[in-house]
Amino acid sequence: MTKRVNLLREALGDDAQDPHYIAGVRGRGYRLVAAVSLAVAPAPPVEDPVSAPVVVTQPDELSTQEHGGN
């Protein structure tokens, strides 16, 4: 575990003596000391409502299809 934490610290540019991300807790392990914030992903693009396909089915067509024909 210690080796993995050291590799992670190296990748993050962190230092055990002056931790910015991972701090050692004597007798317990490690803890995250970096500030954590919620990242909100941007909404996916919406299709142009004018060019988006629209399928319209008349109510009488639905009942004919459900009952197998005429």
Side-chain angles (χ1 to χ4, degrees), residues 25-53:
V25 179
R26 187 178 302 262
R28 306 284 268 162
Y30 301 93
R31 68 185 173 118
L32 179 66
V33 294
V36 178
S37 62
L38 178 62
V40 179
V46 178
E47 283 189 45
D48 180 12
V50 175
S51 64

Side-chain angles (χ1 to χ4, degrees), residues 1-20:
M1 177 86 161
T2 303
K3 181 173 178 146
R4 297 295 179 197
V5 171
N6 288 336
L7 288 171
L8 185 54
R9 280 182 173 148
E10 184 179 328
L12 294 171
D14 205 7
D15 179 21
Q17 303 306 314
D18 184 26
H20 294 263

Side-chain angles (χ1 to χ4, degrees), residues 49-62:
V50 175
S51 64
V54 177
V55 177
V56 178
T57 306
Q58 299 298 323
D60 59 332
E61 290 177 5
L62 285 175

